[in-house]
Amino acid sequence: EIRVDIMTAAGEMRQYQVVGRKAGTEEVPNPEAYRMVIFAPNPVAAKSKFWYFMRQFRKMKKTTGEILDCVEIVEKNSRTVKNYGIWLRYDSRSGTHNMYREYRDLKLTGAVSQLYNEMAGRHRCRPRSIQIIRTATLGASELNRPNGAQFAKSNVRFPLPHRVDSAKRGQKALSDRTFSTVRPTTYLG
């Protein structure tokens, strides 16, 4: 039997808005609804995370409640690179830690995917032990980390040193000859 863990971060994470409430009773026919923005790989995992947090914050769980709505939030402008700040909390082997991280990406979901991958690499942190507290789009002056700040300057340049014009000098790039008698000139000034 193959067991699939729902809280994995395989591929790009998605952003969902989940709305749920306690199931109506005769005393309270229309109970208060709760809305949560959750990052998860699919809607099933988003609903599962919703009930995980509702058990912690309110006396409510899946058997006594109902999901009213689960919608994926899609970013409007995903053509420009933006700076994102992410506040999170994670459980390590020794305790619970708060953390702030900055990422550059086209979309918030891309930045969150970077976060999950980096936390797995640097801290051996499993996706189930990461809780995203808050996210924000940051301006260039609001960046605290030097890695993101170096790209946020107005005069940033990306040099392309040592390019190879084609596979061999004086020939097309996709030539039928494997080897060449001359080395390529890669410095183009």
Side-chain angles (χ1 to χ4, degrees), residues 83-90 97-103 115 118-119 133-139 142-145:
N83 304 306
Y84 293 102
I86 302 175
W87 287 260
L88 67 130
R89 168 188 169 192
Y90 78 100
H97 312 280
N98 293 318
M99 192 178 276
Y100 166 74
R101 303 198 79 81
E102 290 176 356
Y103 297 97
L115 166 87
E118 191 178 21
M119 291 298 289
I133 299 167
R134 185 165 88 91
T135 61
T137 306
L138 306 173
E142 299 171 311
L143 292 171
N144 297 330
R145 306 290 188 261

Side-chain angles (χ1 to χ4, degrees), residues 36-56:
M36 222 176 268
V37 175
I38 291 173
F39 293 96
N42 53 50
V44 175
K47 291 173 190 174
S48 176
K49 267 190 179 180
F50 174 81
W51 291 121
Y52 170 78
F53 289 122
M54 288 312 289
R55 274 197 312 272
Q56 291 181 340

Side-chain angles (χ1 to χ4, degrees), residues 33-181:
Y34 298 94
R35 179 177 64 93
M36 222 176 268
V37 175
I38 291 173
F39 293 96
N42 53 50
V44 175
K47 291 173 190 174
S48 176
K49 267 190 179 180
F50 174 81
W51 291 121
Y52 170 78
F53 289 122
M54 288 312 289
R55 274 197 312 272
Q56 291 181 340
F57 300 139
R58 298 282 181 266
K59 289 191 79 173
M60 200 164 96
K61 55 185 183 175
K62 188 178 179 181
T63 55
T64 62
E66 59 187 356
I67 298 280
L68 300 175
D69 193 24
C70 181
V71 182
E72 184 177 352
I73 300 171
V74 182
E75 199 153 334
K76 286 186 176 67
N77 182 14
S78 61
R79 291 186 302 277
T80 58
V81 177
K82 293 173 282 300
N83 304 306
Y84 293 102
I86 302 175
W87 287 260
L88 67 130
R89 168 188 169 192
Y90 78 100
D91 296 323
S92 71
R93 292 172 183 147
S94 57
T96 305
H97 312 280
N98 293 318
M99 192 178 276
Y100 166 74
R101 303 198 79 81
E102 290 176 356
Y103 297 97
R104 280 175 63 81
D105 208 291
L106 294 170
K107 297 185 284 187
L108 179 58
T109 53
V112 170
S113 300
Q114 283 185 53
L115 166 87
Y116 275 92
N117 290 334
E118 191 178 21
M119 291 298 289
R122 287 185 193 271
H123 301 281
R124 302 293 183 263
C125 188
R126 309 290 180 258
R128 65 178 172 267
S129 62
I130 297 173
Q131 297 176 10
I132 295 174
I133 299 167
R134 185 165 88 91
T135 61
T137 306
L138 306 173
S141 61
E142 299 171 311
L143 292 171
N144 297 330
R145 306 290 188 261
N147 189 38
Q150 70 180 343
F151 296 109
K153 297 174 187 162
S154 60
N155 61 347
V156 67
R157 294 174 68 201
F158 299 98
L160 300 170
H162 300 293
R163 295 173 302 219
V164 177
D165 240 1
S166 63
K168 294 147 203 103
R169 189 183 300 163
Q171 294 180 355
K172 292 180 181 165
L174 297 171
S175 173
D176 57 345
R177 290 176 55 205
T178 308
F179 301 105
S180 175
T181 56

Side-chain angles (χ1 to χ4, degrees), residues 15-30:
Q15 189 177 16
Y16 293 96
Q17 175 182 284
V18 184
V19 181
R21 67 176 188 178
K22 208 164 190 171
T25 59
E26 289 182 11
E27 299 87 44
V28 186
N30 194 13

